[in-house]
Amino acid sequence: MAPSLDGLVFAPVADQAPGQVGTRTRFSYHQRDGRIWAEYAGGDVVRGYLVGTREGDRLDFRYVQLRTDGTTASGHCVSQVAELPDGRLRLAESWEWESREGSGTSVVESVAEQAEDCAAGH
C-alpha cells in the first residue's frame, strides 16, 4: 500500500473544463483510520471539501464545492493511489457529478510545496 495521504497537498496535472478544478487548485489531504478528507481551493473553486474512505490504495469519496460564479456542485469520486518513482503520490480519479450531468477522469499528484502550504494553513 502507498504511504498515508495525511498532510499531503495535491494538484491536478491538467486543467479540466471551466468551473471545475484546474492546475491552480490545491487539495490538502488528511487521513485517519481508513477515513480521508480534504479541503481544496484555487482556480474556479472558491472552496471545496471532500470526505470518504480509503481501503488499501482505493479512495471512495463525495465532494462539494463553491465556484467563483457563486454556484455549487457535488459529486462522487473513486481514486487509485500510486507511488511515483520520485516518492510522490499520484491519484488516478474517476468522478461523476451528482448535482448535474457529467463524468470524467483526472490525475492529481502530490506537490513539493506541501510543507509550506501546510505550515501556512494550520
Side-chain angles (χ1 to χ4, degrees), residues 15-108:
D15 282 323
Q16 299 289 323
Q20 299 180 28
V21 301
T23 55
R24 295 177 305 169
T25 309
R26 295 293 180 268
F27 296 80
S28 298
Y29 268 83
H30 311 280
Q31 179 179 329
R32 299 275 189 288
D33 302 324
R35 297 180 183 98
I36 58 159
W37 66 100
E39 306 85 26
Y40 62 98
D44 290 330
V45 178
V46 175
R47 184 172 303 274
Y49 298 96
L50 65 85
V51 63
T53 58
R54 177 177 182 174
E55 198 170 309
D57 286 334
R58 182 181 185 272
L59 309 181
D60 188 330
F61 61 82
R62 294 281 187 307
Y63 57 89
V64 62
Q65 61 191 38
L66 171 65
R67 296 186 292 238
T68 54
D69 66 4
T71 61
T72 60
S74 62
H76 175 241
C77 184
V78 174
S79 301
Q80 188 66 35
V81 183
E83 192 166 0
L84 297 169
D86 64 6
R88 294 180 306 121
L89 297 183
R90 170 181 284 165
L91 306 179
E93 306 176 321
S94 295
W95 50 267
E96 61 183 335
W97 294 109
E98 294 180 329
S99 59
R100 61 187 175 113
E101 293 293 316
S103 62
T105 60
S106 55
V107 174
V108 297

Side-chain angles (χ1 to χ4, degrees), residues 9 88 109-117:
V9 174
R88 294 180 306 121
E109 294 179 351
S110 56
V111 294
E113 66 201 47
Q114 63 198 21
E116 296 168 18
D117 286 353

